[in-house]
Structures are given as C-alpha cells and as structure tokens.
Amino acid sequence: MEWNKKLMERYWEKLTSDKLWEGVIDSSIEIMLILLVSWIAVRMGKKLIKKLFLIRMRSPLNHSERRQRTISRLLQSVISYVVYFSAIIGILSSLNIKVAGLLAGAGIVGLAVGFGAQSLVKDVITGFFIIFEDQFGVGDYIKINGAEGTVVEIGLRTTKINGGTGEQFIIPNGAIGEVVNYSVNNSKIFIDLQMTADADFEKAEMVINQYLESLPEKHKELIAAPVFLGVQNVKGTEVTIRIAAETLPQQQYGVARSIRRDVTKLFEEHRIPMAHPKMMFYDKGEGRSE
C-alpha cells in the first residue's frame, strides 16, 4: 500500500508541477501557430495557382483549357499534401517526439510494402502522366481495352467510365493500353440514302443541295454545310446516294438522324421515289411471282 501511495504522490507532483504545464502551454501555442500558418499557406498557394492558370486560360495562345484546369487541381492537391505533411512533422517535433526515428521506420516499412505494391505504384505513375499529358479528360467519350463510354472520373490510381447502357467501368491506370478518344477532333459521318434507278437524279440533287445549304443555321453542331457526294453505288434497281457532314465531337448522330428524316420528307413532297425493300410472293402451283 505504501508503494502505491508513493507512486500516486509522484505522479500527482508531476501533474501539478509548473514545468509540465508550462511545456503544455508552450506546445499548444506552437501547434496552433503551425496549424494556422499551414492553413494560410495552403489557401494562399491555391489562390496563387488559380490566378496563374486563370491568366493562362484567358491567353489567346491557349489551346487546352481543360488541361490547364486539370493540372491546376493536381498542383493544388500536391500543395495541400506537402504543407500538411510538413505541419505534422512540426507538431511531432513540438511534442518532443523523435521524428528522425519515425521517418527511418516508415522508410523501412514503405520499402517492404513497395515490393508488394508494384502495381499500385504503376497505377499512380500512369495516372499522373494521363493527367499531365491530357490524354483524355472528364466528359470525353473514349474506348479503353474494350470499355467504351464517357469518362466520369480520372484519379491517380483508377479511371471510371460510364457505358452507354448504364454500366460503369473502373479501370486501373496501369492496365490502360491503347486509348481511342472520340472527343478530341471533329466528327465526320456519311449518310447513305436509296433511290430507285428511274428517279430524276438531277431534281433530287437540286432539292438536296438547297436543303443542305440551310442546315448550318438550324444545327449549330455543324462545322460547315454538309456536302452531297452524289451516287455511291448502283445495285439492281436501287441507286445509293451519299451525303457527308462534319460536326463537333460526338454530335454527328443527331445530325444524321435529322438529315435522313428531312430528306425522306423532301423526296415525298417532290415525288422523288425512294427505294424500299420488296417482298416477293411465289405461287407453288404455277411457279410464278407476283
């Protein structure tokens, strides 16, 4: 009992000593200053990066606003990680914790983990270069390793793609091989329509050209007025005519549907016969067709 009493008295003396509380107050003030300076440094750093990249994006020589924004967000994240990591080191030092020993131990553990996480390192490095080189961005329609859809998220480790039927592909960046990006350049499309061989081709050409010249005012997605290329193929009693159009990236499908609908309607109005599939009926008894 005497031993326990002496032990309690010793701890009580330490807890009530002026030296202990002076150290606690000094460490608390130092930690608060470290956190405050870190918070200010992160805010100022992010604002500075935003202003620098805002100036670059407003420049008339800028050709990749999306890339500037992506790199800006990446640098802001890096600043946060670096500053707050330094703040943690400073806080540990103010608490009289030997940081050198902790860093040495962390280095050994990191080396051991690194041998078993080579794929993770590969994912991170590949993700960094995807963002830095602006190979594709959020909102782009791409195809990777058989996965096709719209990019919804690009991280340092994985890329997420939403497919056309609602499925989501999560692809490790290290596994990304050949990438097909459909959103970088303007889209081109060829629209084929069938006419009968006895139709008035000159009349059809005139009607189509007049219609195509009016399309840029109706469809802002078009880069220029579509071009009537003429006869593409002749097969039996059918003549295939072709129209070529160039649109903004991934806007060609809606324009093509509109052109097919309008041209079909125009042909009906001007009585230009279009080729339709024919069904043949055979009489087994007489062996003739109707």
Side-chain angles (χ1 to χ4, degrees), residues 65-131:
E65 182 176 340
R66 183 191 60 189
R67 182 182 181 185
Q68 304 296 337
R69 288 178 178 173
T70 303
I71 298 175
S72 173
R73 289 195 295 267
L74 181 62
L75 290 178
Q76 289 176 42
S77 299
V78 170
I79 283 181
S80 299
Y81 292 143
V82 172
V83 172
Y84 286 131
F85 179 77
S86 302
I88 292 172
I89 299 299
I91 290 171
L92 293 176
S93 299
S94 66
L95 296 174
N96 295 323
I97 297 175
K98 294 182 179 179
V99 180
L102 289 175
L103 292 176
I108 295 172
V109 174
L111 184 63
V113 173
F115 284 110
Q118 294 182 8
S119 60
L120 177 62
V121 175
K122 183 181 178 182
D123 292 340
V124 172
I125 293 175
T126 306
F128 173 80
F129 280 107
I130 287 173
I131 295 173

Side-chain angles (χ1 to χ4, degrees), residues 14-237:
K14 288 184 177 181
L15 289 173
T16 56
S17 64
D18 295 336
K19 185 177 180 181
L20 174 64
W21 288 104
E22 285 177 2
V24 170
I25 292 172
D26 291 341
S27 297
S28 299
I29 294 173
E30 190 174 349
I31 290 172
M32 290 178 64
L33 287 173
I34 291 172
L35 292 175
L36 179 61
V37 170
S38 300
W39 181 76
I40 293 173
V42 170
R43 296 243 343 189
M44 291 182 64
K46 287 184 176 181
K47 284 185 178 180
L48 180 61
I49 290 173
K50 284 182 180 179
K51 287 183 179 180
L52 289 175
F53 279 89
L54 184 61
I55 292 172
R56 293 192 64 181
M57 285 188 286
R58 287 178 177 175
S59 172
L61 297 177
N62 175 55
H63 297 288
S64 183
E65 182 176 340
R66 183 191 60 189
R67 182 182 181 185
Q68 304 296 337
R69 288 178 178 173
T70 303
I71 298 175
S72 173
R73 289 195 295 267
L74 181 62
L75 290 178
Q76 289 176 42
S77 299
V78 170
I79 283 181
S80 299
Y81 292 143
V82 172
V83 172
Y84 286 131
F85 179 77
S86 302
I88 292 172
I89 299 299
I91 290 171
L92 293 176
S93 299
S94 66
L95 296 174
N96 295 323
I97 297 175
K98 294 182 179 179
V99 180
L102 289 175
L103 292 176
I108 295 172
V109 174
L111 184 63
V113 173
F115 284 110
Q118 294 182 8
S119 60
L120 177 62
V121 175
K122 183 181 178 182
D123 292 340
V124 172
I125 293 175
T126 306
F128 173 80
F129 280 107
I130 287 173
I131 295 173
F132 187 75
E133 295 176 357
D134 193 31
Q135 297 177 13
F136 52 84
V138 174
D140 285 358
Y141 191 87
I142 65 173
K143 184 177 180 181
I144 301 176
N145 303 343
E148 185 173 340
T150 303
V151 180
V152 293
E153 182 180 332
I154 303 174
L156 287 177
R157 197 179 68 84
T158 61
T159 294
K160 296 180 181 179
I161 301 173
N162 280 351
T165 55
E167 69 275 17
Q168 186 174 88
F169 302 95
I170 302 175
I171 306 172
N173 292 331
I176 293 176
E178 182 179 348
V179 179
V180 181
N181 193 334
Y182 297 98
S183 299
V184 175
N185 300 317
N186 294 330
S187 299
K188 296 181 180 179
I189 192 167
F190 296 101
I191 304 160
D192 290 339
L193 298 164
Q194 282 72 39
M195 300 169 48
T196 59
D198 58 350
D200 189 343
F201 179 78
E202 293 182 357
K203 182 179 179 181
E205 183 178 6
M206 181 186 68
V207 170
I208 291 175
N209 282 329
Q210 288 178 352
Y211 164 70
L212 295 180
E213 289 175 0
S214 66
L215 281 182
E217 297 179 358
K218 300 177 182 178
H219 297 280
K220 303 301 181 183
E221 305 92 341
L222 285 168
I223 303 301
V227 179
F228 178 62
L229 299 180
V231 176
Q232 179 66 23
N233 188 26
V234 178
K235 186 177 181 181
T237 59

